[in-house]
Amino acid sequence: MKMQTVSSEEDNMSFQNTELKPQKDMSIVNASDWVFFVGVAIWSLNEFIKFSEISNYVSEFWPLAFRAVGVGLVVISFFLRDFLHIDAIRFIITSLILAFFMLNNGLLAGDANWIDIGILSLGSIGIHYGKVFSSLASYRIIINGVLIGLALLSKIPNEVEVSQSRLRFYLGYNWASFAAHTLLFITFLLLWSVRGKIKWWLFGALLFVNFWAYNQTQTKAPFLIAIFCLVTWFIAAKLRIQKIKWKTLYFLTILIVPVLTILILYLSYNVSSYPRINALLSNRLSLGRTYLDQYGLTLFGHPVYESTDFIWIGRTYQTLDSSLMRYVVKYGIISSFLFISSWVYISRRIAKIHDFYLDLLLLCLAMEAFGDPWFLFASYNIFIILLGSLALRNDQFNAVIKGI
């Protein structure tokens, strides 16, 4: 891995021409992307097992082993990428930001997931996102399809609960909504990979499985986001829309995360004035106000009490479902400012490419983050490793983003 200090961010040297030796370095590019993909695939088995009924059949050693091996391979893939010339100043700043997230969010707030996010993000610097995300989409379809199949065949438990006169099947996971959210993020991975080339059969298949998952799990939010995403994606593809230079879309793509963060904080604090919205969001605003009253807004991260178990004596159901609300309350103001600023910067870079499908992806990710926690879990939202792209110059960033 080579580093250099560049005087201008808008360096005219293209990513492909950074002293590459065509035959040798292209094999290094492919090797590093492949090792990174294998590392993430193995690493993701950690939470895949924990969030499913498979956890009842394997030793606790295996999730930890998968996590360690996966992270190790990601680190190795970084050093295989010696074709890449990184701006030293950018790399140092990116490393410091990620180190802060690992310390503040991972250690102070007690969320070890951020230790992994920091390592995965650094290890992802220079990967070709389209290739990796396409491979991860196929991989996740296979492992989650096998899990659901085992549950439907009664090889593993397919738990069921009755909630407000609704039957909700777990489909092999250990919570009813996990299957629907998993499917939503698989849809996002395919959106990034396929862009404007979606076929009728893929659209029909994704539409069918999303309707089926909703029928089985009765989980509304990911279903509605998935349908919006699929219909918009398909119409745009059939109209051969590739680039849209609408200022409204440009600014919406960039600002949607900070705007929705402010909105969820405002609505939660003033929940008594918005009872219908609170009911529509399944009391998420009331729970948000509970956390604001208990913990307030602090500068740095700290642990918060959470329980999703209704039967513990002396403990009540209390959780922060909104990723945006969770980030501010649990990780503090300084981390929130750094994360939102980084995400806005990354979104601005993507928006400047004017690729409609990537803009759509960012909008749908933000909508998912508004009401549910999975935006902050790399095992679901692998797109969070885009934080590592802060280390890339604009020409390098555009090259790895545009590639399909």
Side-chain angles (χ1 to χ4, degrees):
M1 180 68 66
K2 301 176 183 178
M3 297 183 190
Q4 62 183 16
T5 302
V6 207
S7 58
S8 171
E9 180 180 320
E10 304 291 343
D11 194 300
N12 292 325
M13 184 184 298
S14 69
F15 182 64
Q16 292 88 344
N17 293 325
T18 49
E19 299 179 19
L20 276 176
K21 296 176 182 175
Q23 187 65 35
K24 179 181 177 181
D25 287 335
M26 185 54 69
S27 66
I28 293 175
V29 171
N30 293 335
S32 65
D33 283 357
W34 176 248
V35 173
F36 180 85
F37 159 69
V38 173
V40 172
I42 294 174
W43 169 85
S44 65
L45 290 174
N46 170 38
E47 289 190 342
F48 174 75
I49 292 173
K50 289 181 179 178
F51 292 154
S52 72
E53 291 290 343
I54 295 176
S55 60
N56 297 319
Y57 298 91
V58 300
S59 165
E60 292 182 359
F61 164 81
W62 288 109
L64 294 175
F66 289 139
R67 181 183 179 191
V69 172
V71 166
L73 287 174
V74 166
V75 172
I76 291 172
S77 77
F78 177 83
F79 292 102
L80 289 177
R81 235 161 282 139
D82 65 352
F83 66 92
L84 178 61
H85 292 235
I86 302 178
D87 181 334
I89 296 176
R90 278 184 169 276
F91 180 78
I92 291 171
I93 292 173
T94 302
S95 299
L96 289 175
I97 291 173
L98 291 173
F100 177 82
F101 290 153
M102 294 167 72
L103 174 63
N104 183 80
N105 303 3
L107 297 181
L108 294 183
D111 189 347
N113 183 55
W114 275 94
I115 305 294
D116 295 10
I117 289 176
I119 297 173
L120 294 178
S121 297
L122 277 175
S124 73
I125 297 173
I127 66 166
H128 295 75
Y129 294 106
K131 296 176 182 177
V132 172
F133 291 162
S134 177
S135 299
L136 283 173
S138 300
Y139 173 73
R140 290 186 178 182
I141 289 171
I142 292 171
I143 63 172
N144 287 282
V146 169
L147 177 70
I148 293 173
L150 290 173
L152 294 176
L153 293 172
S154 300
K155 301 299 182 181
I156 60 174
N158 184 9
E159 300 290 344
V160 60
E161 70 176 38
V162 179
S163 175
Q164 298 175 346
S165 302
R166 299 176 299 167
L167 283 178
R168 307 184 70 192
F169 293 93
Y170 284 32
L171 300 176
Y173 301 88
N174 46 34
W175 194 258
S177 64
F178 288 179
H181 287 288
T182 297
L183 180 56
L184 177 62
F185 281 103
I186 288 175
T187 301
F188 290 163
L189 283 169
L190 291 171
L191 170 57
W192 183 297
S193 305
V194 177
R195 312 273 177 94
K197 300 177 182 178
I198 187 172
K199 305 296 184 182
W200 278 98
W201 69 265
L202 179 58
F203 172 71
L206 289 173
L207 205 61
F208 172 78
V209 294
N210 272 283
F211 272 104
W212 179 81
Y214 173 70
N215 177 263
Q216 293 288 307
T217 67
Q218 297 293 306
T219 308
K220 293 180 181 178
F223 169 72
L224 293 175
I225 295 172
I227 297 304
F228 166 77
C229 176
L230 283 169
V231 172
T232 306
W233 176 13
F234 186 73
I235 291 174
K238 292 310 167 186
L239 292 177
R240 299 183 184 277
I241 294 173
Q242 189 64 42
K243 294 181 179 292
I244 295 183
K245 296 185 178 181
W246 292 345
K247 287 187 177 180
T248 302
L249 179 61
Y250 176 80
F251 287 110
L252 183 61
T253 301
I254 297 171
L255 299 176
I256 188 169
V257 166
V259 168
L260 289 183
T261 300
I262 294 171
L263 180 61
I264 192 68
L265 286 169
Y266 171 80
L267 291 175
S268 296
Y269 187 78
N270 298 283
V271 59
S272 59
S273 301
Y274 302 99
R276 292 186 179 179
I277 298 178
N278 185 42
L280 183 65
L281 295 175
S282 303
N283 293 319
R284 281 171 169 78
L285 301 184
S286 296
L287 288 167
R289 178 58 192 262
T290 297
Y291 277 93
L292 287 174
D293 290 341
Q294 287 184 356
Y295 298 98
L297 299 180
T298 59
L299 289 178
F300 299 101
H302 56 84
V304 298
Y305 165 77
E306 290 192 83
S307 173
T308 55
D309 199 328
F310 292 94
I311 63 174
W312 289 6
I313 297 175
R315 293 176 179 266
T316 58
Y317 178 91
Q318 183 177 311
T319 187
L320 272 169
D321 278 330
S322 168
S323 293
L324 305 179
M325 188 78 180
R326 173 187 294 267
Y327 204 107
V328 178
V329 172
K330 187 172 183 178
Y331 305 139
I333 295 173
I334 294 177
S335 185
S336 298
F337 175 78
L338 280 175
F339 178 79
I340 292 174
S341 298
S342 299
W343 197 257
V344 165
Y345 179 68
I346 293 166
S347 300
R348 176 176 171 271
R349 284 177 137 187
I350 292 177
K352 288 177 70 174
I353 297 173
H354 300 294
D355 186 317
F356 173 77
Y357 304 97
L358 294 185
D359 292 343
L360 175 62
L361 172 63
L362 291 177
L363 295 177
C364 291
L365 276 174
M367 288 189 285
E368 164 72 2
F370 183 78
D372 287 288
W374 306 112
F375 181 86
L376 301 177
F377 286 77
S379 56
Y380 278 77
N381 176 31
I382 191 61
F383 305 104
I384 203 167
I385 66 172
L386 286 169
L387 289 169
S389 70
L390 295 171
L392 300 176
R393 301 192 311 268
N394 283 348
D395 57 313
Q396 297 172 328
F397 179 85
N398 290 343
V400 295
I401 290 291
K402 289 180 179 178
I404 299 179

